[in-house]
Amino acid sequence: MNAPDLPLRPLDAFEFDDLFVRSLSADPDTRNISRPAPRAVYSRVEPTAASTPRLLAWSDVLARSLGVARPAETGLVADVLAGSRVLPGMKPYAARYGGHQFGNWAGQLGDGRAITLGEIIDRNGLRQELQLKGAGKTPYSRHADGRAVLRSSIREFLCSEAMFHLGVPTTRALSLVTTGDGVVRDMFYDGRPATEPGAVVCRVAPSFVRFGNFEIFAAEDEADNMRALADWVIRHHYPTLGEPGPETYPAWFAEVCRRTAVMVAHWMRVGFVHGVMNTDNMSILGLTIDYGPYGWLEGFDPGWTPNTTDAQGRRYAYGQQPQIAYWNLTRLAGALTMLIENEADLHAGLELYRETFEQTWSAMLADKLGLHADTVMDGSLVSDLFSILQAEETDMTIFFRRLADIDCSEKADKDARILVLREAFYDSSALDGAHLLRLAGWLDQYAAWVRAQAEEPAARVTRMHAANPKYVLRNWMAQQAIDAATAGDASQIERLLTVLQRAYDEQPDNEDLFARRPEWARNRPGCSALSCSS
Ligand code: AMP
Ligand code: MG
């Protein structure tokens, strides 16, 4: 069956399922007010209507894989995507979860502004949840408003789709709808709140269950919910493991560890920094979830974090991500001791995380360098490179992409090699003196490794291009699209979406998006530093 050729149907022609709602324990309390919700896996809650929903952006690629036709800018479907109307068959709910935030147990959190509408079966026969982010309060909203601002919604919409096309496991985004309502945010946390335009993103994933959904059941000693949710996740999302039970739980935990390792290795490969790796932001399916104050490395700096809330501790900086994911898995393991009595089984899963991360990351590094995996494993080629990249501000994306163009032959002109990499340096004076010598020395060594493996140069370039994206969603690019959209022009969102769908391809018309961060963006909020206020 050639799915893309099937006719697309309007969203309101779909049949919506409610497997999650049917299978798991509902909150017995039905009041939509902030409160603890003991014994609930989720709370049924209706989205809050928006005043004037208008479709601003749409992911055609995702829509095609779901079989959904692009809706009109206004009308029934735009209303549904804003939370203003609920279609027959939808049983909207907010999930209850807890989490460790910045290393500390935070108690009950839950979907404070996310509401799942229902599930549809996509064209591959997979169940997909449609979830609105920013569609109003739920019992888990605590002191907040359940809303999302346009800037953060544009960022979530674009990044979800960009990550997918980079080959990074992620939740997706189908639509971005403006609500016509103002949302008040104190963006700089400086006591000067301002009203911003509100928006709703419709996110799509097989499930949005997080580590934190299990942690809350452990913290509140809800063994029935723990078992029910684990069984549900295994049955519907890890079906190859077999019938859920004491036999399958260890294998399931190990598989969560494995998937998490692969996800984080991809983040490291493309230079993505999540920014808030709290355990409530870790997907049980190993998907990148909750795009908030994330960022992309420009200058290669393992200590960099885009999140201003984390500027002091740098807990969630680029280079910390592999360890933090491991720590988060230990929290999940702690919760799962309710199901898995033998601690050795949990340790085995954690060990699998370490092994998988190491192997995957080494293989990815090898591909990034166009070398065979065993070459990169030994010697100091990689550590030397990382130290060189950090010594002078060097753009990660440009450096690795351009490295493919280096002439590695013995008689290559050494100055020409440096010229190829020139654009990657933020300060061209870095290419004088000692740093230049160091870089040239490393390139010599690298070229020798390349020659030793006697591969066709074209084959090496192909491999490198497939591992090193040409286009990533640099913060300043997202910010320019935000500025334009705020002024009423959504065309830059569309443009970025289209360019990022072909992130590994040379796109001569879009060379302006293969560029270092411009100076104006160095310290501009939204470009280099982001607050959690969204
Ligand atoms: P985050 O770190 O952004 O993933 O959010 C942590 C918790 O705060 C989650 O429970 C969110 O649902 C909740 N939250 C964040 N922003 C809002 C908001 N504007 N309204 C209600 N809940 C929110
Ligand atoms: Mg979150």
Side-chain angles (χ1 to χ4, degrees), residues 88-103:
M90 288 177 167
K91 297 217 171 61
Y93 75 87
R96 171 166 167 254
Y97 55 81
H100 280 83
Q101 299 187 312
F102 295 93

Side-chain angles (χ1 to χ4, degrees), residues 232-242 252 255-256 259 283-286:
W232 184 86
V233 165
I234 294 168
R235 189 166 291 127
H236 300 292
H237 300 288
Y238 290 85
T240 56
L241 297 178
W252 167 56
E255 180 58 13
V256 175
R259 289 194 192 185
S283 144
I284 202 69
L285 302 186

Side-chain angles (χ1 to χ4, degrees), residues 97 210 280-281 290:
Y97 55 81
R210 301 136 193 273
D280 51 300
N281 291 336
D290 279 12

Side-chain angles (χ1 to χ4, degrees), residues 97 101 108-114 133 136-138 140-148 185 210 276 278 280-281 290 292-293 532 534:
Y97 55 81
Q101 299 187 312
Q108 177 182 297
L109 300 165
D111 286 330
R113 55 169 167 173
K133 183 164 173 179
K137 287 188 187 175
T138 77
Y140 308 100
S141 297
R142 295 175 292 153
H143 299 295
D145 58 5
R147 292 297 188 183
R185 287 288 180 272
R210 301 136 193 273
V276 211
N278 293 331
D280 51 300
N281 291 336
D290 279 12
C532 279
S534 60

Side-chain angles (χ1 to χ4, degrees), residues 375-388:
T375 323
V376 181
M377 295 293 279
D378 53 62
S380 54
L381 195 69
V382 170
S383 54
D384 287 352
L385 174 62
F386 284 177
S387 122
I388 291 171

